[in-house]
Amino acid sequence: SACRAYAYAVGQACDRIVELTCIAGLTGLPQVNLPLGESPDGVPVGLALIGPRGSDRGLLALASRLA
């Protein structure tokens, strides 16, 4: 059904997001996730910022300017 196809597509997108963002957690890099809203289809949209080691304050400052 269309509902199952949509759920599958959302699941695939979530899997890809985890692939792209979990590297920061595994390597100890600072990361900030900013929610940006929703797509026209109602799918959450956000921005993940990952910085080099020791850039926590700078990354938070950048995130606060973008929020």
Side-chain angles (χ1 to χ4, degrees):
S1 74
C3 207
R4 280 190 189 161
Y6 178 76
Y8 178 78
V10 170
Q12 293 289 28
C14 288
D15 288 347
R16 184 69 179 137
I17 290 167
V18 169
E19 288 175 14
L20 295 172
T21 60
C22 76
I23 193 70
L26 293 173
T27 60
L29 298 175
Q31 175 178 319
V32 176
N33 295 304
L34 301 172
L36 299 178
E38 294 183 346
S39 72
D41 297 331
V43 177
V45 176
L47 175 66
L49 303 172
I50 302 172
R53 279 196 176 87
S55 67
D56 304 61
R57 289 182 187 203
L59 195 60
L60 289 173
L62 174 61
S64 69
R65 286 193 296 266
L66 295 174

